[in-house]
DNA sequence: AGAAAACGTTAACAAAAGATAATGAATACA
DNA sequence: TGTATTCATTATCTTTTGTTAACGTTTTCT
């Protein structure tokens, strides 16, 4: 995808948070950069401070931890979504997980340095503070729902809910990654799927 | 506690996010109000939009959902912490859970309306946007850790971690609430405690 | 002070999940 | 194209959790 199309997609994608005037957008875009990831390439790795947040114009990534030598996938992001090792990015602390491309992925990126510059730029500061706030609030709401699911639902209920709200994820992501995401083992997810199928 | 002491505690409590100059603080405090909750009194209830966020100067609250007629406790907040039905507050949507005082609790409160006024106040806007952003970022980091715990740890590991980092919570909150918080039943938590005790 | 409610533990049983291994199918890759 | 990997399913066995109920203690409330 050419850069103009990517920028256009980015501009549309963030209207849920903030809308820039043409002048503001002109300034804003001078702080952006572009990148792409081959399949299995990493956007963030454990132990390093994550210096970028990115908007995915094409592709998909997974977030995973390593525990006892095992990879455990905790989350996914797809095209038209923002991505970052949030905690590491905002707190400037070493990242504790990995972000890896599941497919060939294209990104529009903002570096931490450029973000700080924008937060100090008289014409952008207020809007960028708001942008940051609204992004964070958006993700808080996502997290709230996710934690609620872990607290109030059984693995089977979480699976059924996912199937209903984002069933197409099963066509795009290996099932054992989704199992981790649901907080269970791949074997267990396979059993749940069989169980819930037989009930119909 | 008298209002001056509460304000002082509030001002100190939020230095982790933002520091106000004396002039700013003077303006800021005109937007605040005070309240208290008797034990078992609710700060927020299901179905109503939450109109306040609050700083707890004394006391403790629990957040709970009702599922199949059963209360399920998802979180706690204590003195010197912020509290709100965040999603409902920022999105102006009906709240889907309850927040109830566990003890006699005292609050410094900001209404949604006043917050909006501050966000439009020329002398406060930028700082309030930043305040909001940093609060949201703080809670995102908390949530990130919590979800990671559900994904990567067993109930027993989550219990052990809680015992280590906030063991005093057991002196303050009924155990069956903590069980819910850990994502398990009270019976199961009782067994885990016995198990981990016998290992020493 | 006395009755009622809330709470933590334990037991017994059922249901679900974890661990490990084997199998066959699909996919990736050289 | 052919080989190696990856992947989902299934089976077996063990461990853990959920469910329900009983019991005694503590706390709450009038």
């Amino acid at each position: 995808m050419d850069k103009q199309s990517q920028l256009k997609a980015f501009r549309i994608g963030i209207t849920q948070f903030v809308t820039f005037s043409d002048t503001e957008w002109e300034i804003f875009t001078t702080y952006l950069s572009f990148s792409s990831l081959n399949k299995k390439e990493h956007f963030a790795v454990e132990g390093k401070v994550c210096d970028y947040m990115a908007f995915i114009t094409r592709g998909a990534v997974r977030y995973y931890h390593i525990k006892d030598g095992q990879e455990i996938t905790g989350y996914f992001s797809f095209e038209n979504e923002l991505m970052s090792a949030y905690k590491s990015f905002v707190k400037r602390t070493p990242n504790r997980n990995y972000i890896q491309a599941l497919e060939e992925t294209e990104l529009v990126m903002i570096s931490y340095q450029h973000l700080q510059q924008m937060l100090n730029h008289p014409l952008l500061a207020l809007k960028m503070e708001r942008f940051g706030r609204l992004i964070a609030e958006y993700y808080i709401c996502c997290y709230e729902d996710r934690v609620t699911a872990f607290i109030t639902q059984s693995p089977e209920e979480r699976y059924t809910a996912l199937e209903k709200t984002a069933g197409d994820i099963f066509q795009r992501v290996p099932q054992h990654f989704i199992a981790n995401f649901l907080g269970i083992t791949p074997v267990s997810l396979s059993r749940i799927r069989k169980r819930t199928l037989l009930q119909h």
Side-chain angles (χ1 to χ4, degrees), chain A residues 59-124:
Chain A
V61 300
R62 70 178 179 117
Y63 303 59
Y64 69 92
H65 288 77
I66 292 190
K67 191 197 180 192
D68 307 327
Q70 293 263 329
E71 297 183 1
I72 300 180
T73 298
Y75 199 61
F76 308 97
S77 293
F78 301 94
E79 58 277 329
N80 297 318
E81 293 179 4
L82 289 164
M83 150 180 82
S84 184
Y86 210 92
K87 188 172 177 178
S88 172
F89 182 78
V90 303
K91 291 204 173 177
R92 316 309 297 153
T93 54
N95 191 25
R96 293 184 308 156
N97 59 359
Y98 297 82
I99 303 180
Q100 184 190 48
L102 288 162
E103 318 165 354
E104 184 95 4
T105 295
E106 289 184 351
L107 306 171
V108 180
M109 308 211 300
I110 305 176
S111 73
Y112 184 80
Q113 255 198 348
H114 280 166
L115 178 59
Q116 297 312 310
Q117 287 172 21
M118 288 191 271
L119 286 168
N120 289 321
H121 189 299
L123 294 179
L124 288 182

Side-chain angles (χ1 to χ4, degrees), chain A residues 10 28 37 43 56 73-75 117 135 151 157 194:
Chain A
F10 185 27
F28 179 68
L37 300 169
F43 173 77
I56 304 174
T73 298
Y75 199 61
Q117 287 172 21
I135 290 176
I151 293 291
E157 290 171 314
K194 187 178 183 183

